[in-house]
Amino acid sequence: MKKAVIYTRVSSEEQVKGNSLSEQQLKCRYFIKSKDGDITGVYVDGGRGGETKERPELQRMLEDAKKGIFDAVVVYKIDRLSRSLRDFLEIQDYLANLNVELISVSETYDTSTPQGRLFVNMLGSFAEFEREQIKERINMGQIASMKKGNWKGSPPYGYDVKNKKLAINKKEAEIVKRIFKIFTDNYGSVDRITIKQAQKIVNGWNVPTKRAYDKRFKKTIPNYWHTSSIYSIIKNPIYTGNTFIRKITKNTNPKIDVKKVIRPKSEWIPLSVPQVIADKTFEKCQIVLRKNSEFALRKGKPESETMLNKLVYCSDCGKKFHICNRVSYNQEYKKAVYYCKGIKNPIRERRCYAKSFISTRLEKPLWEKLTEIITRPEVLNKYVNRQLEGETREENQYKTDIQELEQSLQEARLKKERLFNLYISGKNDVVYYKGKEQELTKEEDRFLDKINDLKQSNLLLDGLKRKSLDFGVLYKKLKNNLNLINISYKDKCRITKLLVER
């Protein structure tokens, strides 16, 4: 061994601050000097895990080996080089092909003999086994911490981490409420509020983002909000006070071309945090977003809006009718052909055979009926009042049913917690625990689904009330100059989508 280099590695930043790296390097230096070798370089990967080869100093060392700068690589232990058997064997073969010797200070072996090569492979296998054990212990510790309500990672906007738990940041929470209000004020209206429009409003407030003063994001403009930041806030259920964590995991299936996948519901961990907005506000916001998606004018199709587009449903298969063959007259009135989306189903057995129809066949009689309602508001008021009387009774029933289901859900969760405590204390075996835990999880999911369905129905009732109020505003605007004969097609579309749900 004439020319040798030292490679050292530790996994965490805490170890970097400690003496582990210097101790490894010191023992490697003593070893090389005892063999009368010269130290030509030291490669240090601090805070890097051994499960991958993607480490800057390791890659630099492999590149230098190709240049013939040294004859041997000295490590304190084999697992410092890699904790993956496959990666270790690849590195070993790579160095052997370049006539570079791999030496471990702690483990003595001779790779020139079959016994030595077997011993090295065994060391690599043990290193990989140890890595898997460490990973499992860390995961168990993190899961236990999450079940106690502790937060892992950076907090979402509106919260700070105090004593490992989320606490409300009052200034940021007010901004969150204002962002949600932008969308909920638009609930039940045909005037869409898009994420892009909301972005302009929020940037006009001149408030800092979460990353504004974070040193890790030096290039971030403090008061500039991206659309993705606003979208992540209004789609995050954590602001309602109850959410699930540990829902996403890395994809290990090579057949699926995505980086992350959703875990099974049984592996999700419920988390309760201080509430920023009401459940109803969040659900209203989700309905507004869904309506935005349904009635959005797609890129490249600026003239795709018609009176009943995405409001007509097929009576055979239940899918929406879409439009094709749009024809414009005097840049005002349009004639289109409506067709069922189900006719394009590639599976013959599921294909729909509903006939297409020209838009005038439905739009003309519908508009005549709507004109009668608009010119005679007492007809609409009578209908709406009759509907709302029944809906008030239904709404009260919905609230009672939701309260009963939430109580049953709480009881199921308490049973699950008691079962876990009995298992921890050793009174139940693992087979009984897993079987019973799966039953309780299914019961919990069933209650959650029923609660969500009832809340959704309740919101639809609320939507009709809001639509009635919106119509009143619209009528007041039009009553002074209500010329429904020469009304533009665009205004016809707006009024129709305000009054017609489906």
Side-chain angles (χ1 to χ4, degrees), residues 258-409:
V258 290
K259 290 183 178 179
K260 294 183 178 181
V261 292
I262 298 175
R263 297 178 190 270
K265 262 191 174 181
S266 58
E267 296 182 19
W268 298 2
I269 298 174
L271 178 71
S272 295
V273 299
Q275 189 176 26
V276 175
I277 59 163
D279 291 348
K280 207 167 187 178
T281 302
F282 180 79
E283 286 160 2
K284 281 182 179 180
C285 192
Q286 305 318 301
I287 289 177
V288 171
L289 291 177
R290 190 167 65 251
K291 286 291 181 185
N292 282 354
S293 175
E294 288 178 1
F295 295 113
L297 298 178
R298 300 300 175 198
K299 192 175 181 181
K301 296 183 180 180
E303 300 296 328
S304 63
E305 186 175 16
T306 57
M307 193 184 291
L308 294 171
N309 188 29
K310 300 180 183 177
L311 292 177
V312 181
Y313 287 76
C314 179
S315 59
D316 294 338
C317 67
K319 292 188 179 294
K320 291 179 183 177
F321 271 78
H322 288 247
I323 58 170
C324 65
N325 300 331
R326 295 180 297 277
V327 180
S328 176
Y329 295 100
N330 299 326
Q331 298 181 349
E332 282 291 334
Y333 182 74
K334 298 175 184 176
K335 181 173 73 175
V337 175
Y338 286 88
Y339 70 94
C340 176
K341 196 73 173 174
I343 66 174
K344 292 189 175 183
N345 197 321
I347 303 172
R348 186 183 295 273
E349 291 77 13
R350 298 180 186 175
R351 194 174 297 163
C352 181
Y353 293 95
K355 291 185 178 180
S356 304
F357 61 90
I358 296 174
S359 59
T360 50
R361 288 184 59 190
L362 185 60
E363 289 180 358
K364 191 175 179 181
L366 177 68
W367 180 248
E368 289 174 357
K369 191 68 179 174
L370 290 179
T371 304
E372 182 187 353
I373 291 173
I374 293 169
T375 52
R376 297 174 59 198
E378 65 274 5
V379 175
L380 180 68
N381 289 334
K382 186 178 179 182
Y383 169 76
V384 169
N385 290 333
R386 189 169 66 247
Q387 286 288 104
L388 292 180
E389 282 175 12
E391 281 153 13
T392 304
R393 288 194 297 271
E394 285 186 37
E395 189 175 2
N396 293 332
Q397 185 60 43
Y398 279 138
K399 287 179 180 177
T400 306
D401 292 344
I402 288 171
Q403 286 175 355
E404 289 175 359
L405 285 168
E406 283 179 343
Q407 188 175 352
S408 300
L409 177 64

Side-chain angles (χ1 to χ4, degrees), residues 11-135:
S11 302
S12 64
E13 293 296 333
E14 286 77 11
Q15 289 172 307
V16 173
K17 294 173 185 175
N19 299 320
S20 183
L21 282 173
S22 58
E23 285 295 319
Q24 287 181 48
Q25 195 179 131
L26 186 63
K27 289 178 181 179
C28 289
R29 285 183 181 277
Y30 284 152
F31 180 84
I32 294 170
K33 288 192 176 181
S34 68
K35 301 292 182 181
D36 296 326
D38 295 326
I39 300 170
T40 58
V42 178
Y43 302 88
V44 181
D45 273 317
R48 302 280 178 174
E51 67 277 0
T52 176
K53 290 194 296 184
E54 300 305 317
R55 288 168 262 155
E57 287 295 280
L58 175 63
Q59 293 300 321
R60 188 167 72 88
M61 185 189 76
L62 296 176
E63 284 295 320
D64 289 347
K66 195 187 290 186
K67 297 173 186 176
I69 296 175
F70 49 83
D71 304 316
V73 175
V74 178
V75 294
Y76 177 63
K77 287 178 73 176
I78 288 295
D79 62 7
R80 297 301 88 197
L81 193 65
S82 178
R83 284 191 179 273
S84 167
L85 179 59
R86 180 179 175 181
D87 289 346
F88 171 72
L89 294 175
E90 286 178 1
I91 294 169
Q92 187 189 29
D93 289 342
Y94 178 82
L95 294 174
N97 292 333
L98 296 172
N99 295 320
V100 175
E101 192 179 357
L102 178 60
I103 301 170
S104 169
V105 174
S106 301
E107 299 110 354
T108 306
Y109 59 86
D110 183 5
T111 54
S112 62
T113 64
Q115 293 88 346
R117 287 193 290 273
L118 175 63
F119 181 65
V120 170
N121 290 346
M122 287 172 63
L123 289 175
S125 298
F126 280 120
E128 185 171 4
F129 172 70
E130 187 182 355
R131 175 176 67 88
E132 293 296 330
Q133 280 197 317
I134 292 170
K135 187 178 177 182

Side-chain angles (χ1 to χ4, degrees), residues 470-485:
D470 289 339
F471 174 75
V473 173
L474 179 66
Y475 180 74
K476 285 177 183 177
K477 289 180 181 178
L478 294 175
K479 69 177 181 179
N480 295 327
N481 187 22
L482 200 61
N483 187 359
L484 296 178
I485 298 171

Side-chain angles (χ1 to χ4, degrees), residues 151 154-160 166 172 210 236 238-239:
W151 182 260
S154 301
Y157 190 86
Y159 291 97
D160 292 327
L166 288 182
E172 292 180 356
K210 195 74 172 176
N236 196 344
I238 197 168
Y239 297 109

Side-chain angles (χ1 to χ4, degrees), residues 400-426:
T400 306
D401 292 344
I402 288 171
Q403 286 175 355
E404 289 175 359
L405 285 168
E406 283 179 343
Q407 188 175 352
S408 300
L409 177 64
Q410 190 65 26
E411 288 173 3
R413 285 177 174 169
L414 287 171
K415 285 180 186 177
K416 204 170 176 182
E417 190 176 342
R418 285 197 294 268
L419 180 70
F420 180 72
N421 291 333
L422 288 170
Y423 170 67
I424 291 295
S425 61

